[in-house]
Amino acid sequence: MVDHGAGNLVSIAQGLTAGGARVKIVEQPGDLAGVAALVLPGVGATGAAMQRLHARDLVGAIKDWHLPLLGICVGLQLFFDESEEDNGPCLGMVAGTVRRLRRTPRLPHIGWNDVAWKGDRDPVFAGIDAGTPFYFVHSFAPDPLDDTVTAATVDYGEPFVAAVRSGNLVGVQFHPERSGEAGLRLLANFVAETTRAA
């Protein structure tokens, strides 16, 4: 799990461990030796998160990563080209822009909201019913150029992307570590995917 100074590392690590993972904290590129998958968490702002990743020399290592990678909240947003939040670049691993939610009842969007699949249910949602609520805390969400990467959506005054899948990348806008049994199942599904890819 990548530690860039702004993530709910303890709760996520506990969820991954419950799902069968052995969690290692990654603070610099050398820590990636022997790692089978990455989790990129994040709270706060994309600009500050990118500054911390640059400071730890992790940007290139993450962009070159070809094994499973899970982005959570701001971690998902960092996958994209740029964000309106700080009008700056992100990792550029998925084409699109992170945009401020504009037609929601209030911001930030905090609380539980039902998630709907787009197309076939992604493996990371295996065993989780469509319409299951997950816990969100955010004011921005990704707007992919290629909508086929959208794995799930949610409606909060306007529809927005709740999860994406692009090759080895999977990302969720909500916080699985705060989403009860469904969130733990999602983290366990990611661990199982990592095991299959090994």
Side-chain angles (χ1 to χ4, degrees):
M1 183 162 48
V2 177
D3 180 6
H4 55 74
N8 193 8
L9 301 187
V10 174
S11 295
I12 298 172
Q14 290 173 341
L16 292 167
T17 300
R22 288 179 296 165
V23 178
K24 176 181 181 179
I25 302 301
V26 173
E27 297 180 325
Q28 57 188 358
D31 296 334
L32 293 170
V35 171
L38 278 181
V39 176
L40 182 60
V43 295
T46 53
M50 285 299 299
Q51 288 178 357
R52 289 188 287 264
L53 289 175
H54 278 293
R56 298 191 177 193
D57 200 26
L58 284 166
V59 170
I62 294 171
K63 292 176 72 169
D64 291 340
W65 189 255
H66 296 295
L67 296 173
L69 196 167
L70 171 63
I72 296 175
C73 196
V74 169
L76 159 65
Q77 295 176 12
L78 293 176
F79 288 170
F80 288 81
D81 291 323
E82 59 187 355
S83 175
E84 292 182 348
E85 185 172 18
D86 295 296
N87 296 313
C90 297
L91 293 169
M93 302 166 77
V94 179
T97 300
V98 176
R99 302 191 187 280
R100 185 178 181 87
L101 299 175
R102 290 180 169 83
R103 297 189 299 278
T104 57
R106 64 186 62 84
L107 288 178
H109 171 211
I110 300 177
W112 297 83
N113 214 319
D114 299 347
V115 171
W117 320 142
K118 181 179 178 293
D120 295 335
R121 178 170 48 189
D122 189 90
V124 80
F125 290 108
I128 301 171
D129 293 334
T132 294
F134 287 87
Y135 190 80
F136 291 81
V137 182
H138 67 120
S139 298
F140 295 78
D143 180 16
L145 283 181
D146 179 2
D147 193 48
T148 64
V149 305
T150 300
T153 61
V154 69
D155 196 297
Y156 180 65
E158 61 179 304
F160 62 84
V161 172
V164 303
R165 165 75 70 168
S166 179
N168 65 308
L169 307 177
V170 60
V172 294
Q173 183 57 66
F174 51 83
H175 285 273
E177 76 280 7
R178 299 184 184 181
S179 296
E181 291 185 10
L184 290 176
R185 179 60 185 267
L186 185 145
L187 293 174
N189 287 341
F190 179 72
V191 174
E193 178 178 329
T194 298
T195 301
R196 291 191 299 269

